[in-house]
Amino acid sequence: MQKFSFEKLRVYSDLAHFTASSEEIASDLLLNIAEGNGRFAYHDHSRFLEIANRATTKLAARLEVGALRKTIEEGAADEIIGLLVSIDRMTAKLAQVWREKSSGKVS
């Protein structure tokens, strides 16, 4: 089966398996990763990954609040936050690579 290039990204795949109470933010993450990867200009790739990175932080904060309010189990929140930390690192690294390509630092 053929895939879009964003579907081949590990960060996209990991996030696609993620479901939480903040579904809208999780969807925003997926959509920004996919849309950024579909852009041709390096700075566009970077910009969408930076937006996804901010959404990751926002989702982690919402999960923390949910754990404090006891609307989500603390263990479940910790597990999801661990995944979000991994996603955060991947999106930040990808954005850095695209920024460097945009500035001509990387061939």
Side-chain angles (χ1 to χ4, degrees):
M1 183 169 108
Q2 292 185 359
K3 292 185 175 187
F4 285 99
S5 60
F6 67 84
E7 292 176 297
K8 298 173 187 173
L9 296 172
R10 181 172 161 231
V11 65
Y12 184 87
S13 175
D14 285 355
L15 191 56
H17 292 97
F18 169 75
T19 56
S21 59
S22 296
E23 202 170 305
E24 181 180 338
I25 296 172
S27 294
D28 285 347
L29 277 165
L30 284 171
L31 295 173
N32 279 299
I33 290 167
E35 186 171 355
N37 204 58
R39 298 294 175 125
F40 296 105
Y42 295 138
H43 69 276
D44 282 341
H45 282 276
S46 177
R47 185 169 58 88
F48 280 93
L49 287 167
E50 289 166 355
I51 293 168
N53 191 273
R54 287 191 300 270
T56 303
T57 304
K58 187 175 181 180
L59 184 52
R62 283 201 178 175
L63 288 167
E64 288 286 337
V65 169
L68 290 170
R69 291 182 178 170
K70 309 284 188 218
T71 58
I72 185 171
E73 288 184 32
E74 189 173 332
D78 290 344
E79 183 178 339
I80 295 167
I81 288 172
L83 174 62
L84 290 173
V85 167
S86 175
I87 290 168
D88 182 71
R89 288 180 182 149
M90 286 186 276
T91 56
K93 181 64 178 170
L94 284 170
Q96 178 185 352
V97 168
W98 289 121
R99 275 191 309 275
E100 289 173 357
K101 285 186 176 196
S102 178
S103 68
K105 293 181 182 176
V106 174
S107 57

